[in-house]
Amino acid sequence: GDGMPAGWEIAHDRDDGDATGVNGAAGDPVGDGIANAIEWLVGLDPQLADSRNFPQLGIERIAPGVRLTFPTLPDRSYQLQSSQDLGTWADFGAAHVAAPTDPPGTLQIDDASGLARRFYRMVIAPAP
């Protein structure tokens, strides 16, 4: 009932029947500042203080813009967003949905807009 897959909770010593405290979506059993639900979404282990392994959006210059890369996991939706001022965000292209049977991979998106300044973020959610 907390939105996390039962198999993942059991594999990581979370009580699937308890959606509260350290077992719930907002739980953080090791105090690394990352809630269980986020640990599941990005593929981290809730029993390890492993925030240094949090996935990063890679960026590389290409002509005439940039190439963005991001690691993907099965059964998640990935939506790249962009902003020119860090205040207003807009979807950049369509969301990428990784099917439950897809292997882990890398999403690659090219931005050939040539804008002098643009910020990016990746929004991850459970696949619809």
Side-chain angles (χ1 to χ4, degrees), residues 73-118:
L73 294 170
D75 209 20
R76 276 101 165 144
S77 172
Y78 297 88
Q79 177 62 64
L80 182 66
Q81 294 184 335
S82 66
S83 171
Q84 290 184 295
D85 60 11
L86 290 175
T88 304
W89 292 90
D91 290 349
F92 188 91
H96 170 79
V97 178
T101 56
D102 286 349
T106 302
L107 178 60
Q108 179 178 301
I109 301 169
D110 291 347
D111 178 358
S113 66
L115 292 175
R117 181 178 74 182
R118 183 176 269 182

